[in-house]
Amino acid sequence: MGGTGTGASFKANIEALARYRFNMRTIHGVTEPETAMTLFDCPLDTPILAAPMTGTPYNMGGALTELEFITAVIQGSRLAGSIGCSGDGADPTMFDAGLKAIAGENGWGITFIKPRAHNEIVARLRRAEAAGARAVGIDIDGAGLVTMVLKGQPVSPKTVAELRKVIALTALPFVLKGIMTPDEATLAMEAGAKAIVVSNHGGRILDHSPGAAEVLPAIVEAVGTSVTVLADGGVRSGSDVLKLLALGARAVLVGRPLVVGAFGGGTDGVRTVLARMTSELRQAMILTGCQSVQRVEADILYRT
Ligand SMILES: Cc1cc2nc3c(=O)[nH]c(=O)nc-3n(C[C@H](O)[C@H](O)[C@H](O)COP(=O)(O)O)c2cc1C
C-alpha cells in the first residue's frame, strides 16, 4: 500500500502535517467540543470520513474479499457517525462491490468513479444514483493510471467542458478528488463541482508532489466557500485532523489506517479507528480552545 516511485509524495503528506504545531490554550470555557457537522445534507457526528480504497485484498494477501473489505468500511463508518467512500479500479468488480456495500446501508456512502470515457462514467453515475449514494465523484488524479489502461479500462485527464457535461447529468452533489493547485480548484468550481478533495491520492499517483497540508491553504484562499473543501493524506490521529481543519478543510478523509482497522477487526475495526481519531480530535480541541469543528481558527496553529 505504499507510495509510487521513491515514495516522496506519500512522505510529503506525513511530513507536511508534522511541520504544523499547535498553540496550546487552556484559559477558556471549552469543555465539551462539538465534532458534529453536516456534509451533503448528511448529519455526521465526526468530520473524519473513510477515503475510497480499492484493491486492498491484493495488497493485504487476500485475507478479505473486496466486498468484505468495503462492507466493513461503509458499515463501520456509519456506526462511527461518519460516512464512507468507495472507489473504482482496474477490475470492474471493485466498483460493483463498493456500490453493493453502499446500497446495503440504504445509500449511506459516497462513490468515486475513475476518469473513464464519458459513457462509462455516466453508466456508473446512474448506478450510484440507483444505489441511493449521497454523493458521487471522480478521482480525477487517476488520469494516468497505467494499470487501468493495461486492463483495457482507459482513463484520461478531462477538460472543464467534459467535466461540466458529466456533472450536469446528476442532481447528486459532485466531488472532484485529487486537486492539488489553486488553479485546478477554480476549474473544478467552474465545472460545477460541489466539493473538492485536496489530495495526492496518498502519494500513489505522481512521485514528488507536495503534501496535501502544504497546498491546502492556498487552495482554500482561491475558492473561498464556493466549494466544500475536503482534504486527505497522511492523517493518522485526531491532531492531524484538527490541523487540516485549521488549514481550511471542512472535513478530512482517512485511508490506510482504515485498512488496518478493516483487516484487523472488520466493521468494528473500522468503527474503532474512526472513534479513536474522533476522541483524539476532541481532546486536541479542548487543549486549543476550539468549540466546534464547524469553526476552527487558523490561529490554533503555531507560526514562527
Ligand atoms: C490501497 C489504496 C487504494 C486506494 N484506492 C483508491 C481508489 O480506488 N480511488 C480513490 O479515489 N482513491 C484511492 N486511494 C487513495 C485514498 O482515497 C486516499 O486519497 C489516500 O489513501 C489518503 O492517504 P492516507 O492513506 O495516507 O490516509 C487508495 C489508497 C490506498 C492506500
Side-chain angles (χ1 to χ4, degrees):
M1 297 192 299
T4 192
T6 65
S9 303
F10 167 75
K11 286 187 219 157
N13 280 335
I14 306 272
E15 286 165 3
L17 278 166
R19 271 199 294 277
Y20 288 102
R21 289 175 286 168
F22 291 116
N23 289 315
M24 184 166 69
R25 289 192 174 99
T26 46
I27 303 179
H28 54 71
V30 177
T31 54
E32 291 191 16
E34 292 146 24
T35 57
M37 63 167 304
T38 301
L39 185 65
F40 310 136
D41 289 332
C42 299
L44 305 178
D45 295 332
T46 175
I48 312 170
L49 278 60
M53 285 179 287
T54 52
T56 56
Y58 167 76
N59 289 283
M60 300 294 281
L64 294 178
T65 65
E66 193 77 37
L67 182 59
E68 286 166 341
F69 167 74
I70 194 64
T71 300
V73 168
I74 298 295
Q75 281 183 353
S77 299
R78 188 173 195 179
L79 288 173
S82 177
I83 188 165
C85 303
S86 70
D88 183 14
D91 179 343
T93 61
M94 293 172 175
F95 183 78
D96 302 347
L99 269 197
K100 198 167 175 192
I102 289 176
E105 290 298 302
N106 293 321
W108 195 257
I110 300 168
T111 196
F112 284 87
I113 304 167
K114 284 276 180 292
R116 298 166 174 274
H118 178 80
N119 290 345
E120 295 289 330
I121 296 175
V122 175
R124 286 166 179 77
L125 194 56
R126 296 295 174 237
R127 290 181 51 208
E129 289 167 341
R134 297 304 198 267
V136 67
I138 295 178
D139 48 322
I140 188 82
D141 56 356
L145 277 179
V146 183
T147 45
M148 297 283 297
V149 179
L150 289 176
K151 296 207 172 177
Q153 313 273 319
V155 286
S156 65
K158 305 285 172 211
T159 64
V160 171
E162 286 169 327
L163 289 172
R164 194 179 286 132
K165 213 168 129 193
V166 169
I167 295 173
L169 288 174
T170 184
L172 285 177
F174 205 99
V175 189
L176 280 179
K177 176 170 179 285
I179 301 295
M180 286 294 284
T181 60
D183 57 307
E184 290 230 317
T186 308
L187 294 178
M189 189 174 73
E190 281 171 29
K194 174 106 179 154
I196 58 172
V197 185
V198 176
S199 168
N200 68 11
H201 215 104
R204 293 165 62 82
I205 294 281
L206 174 66
D207 206 358
H208 304 292
S209 60
E214 281 176 87
V215 298
L216 180 59
I219 289 177
V220 171
E221 200 180 318
V223 294
T225 52
S226 41
V227 285
T228 300
V229 180
L230 313 175
D232 76 17
V235 174
R236 299 294 177 265
S237 68
S239 293
D240 289 340
V241 175
L242 190 58
K243 287 177 183 180
L244 288 181
L245 298 183
L247 294 171
R250 280 268 295 136
V252 163
L253 277 58
V254 173
R256 291 172 182 85
L258 298 179
V259 178
V260 176
F263 280 83
T267 295
D268 199 48
V270 170
R271 187 197 59 76
T272 302
V273 172
L274 290 171
R276 173 182 59 79
M277 283 194 188
T278 304
S279 160
E280 292 167 350
L281 168 64
R282 231 176 257 122
Q283 189 71 3
M285 289 171 74
I286 291 174
L287 293 171
T288 53
C290 289
Q291 180 56 51
S292 166
V293 293
Q294 296 184 52
R295 195 189 158 95
V296 177
E297 304 292 345
D299 77 354
I300 66 165
L301 296 177
Y302 173 75
R303 299 193 195 266
T304 46

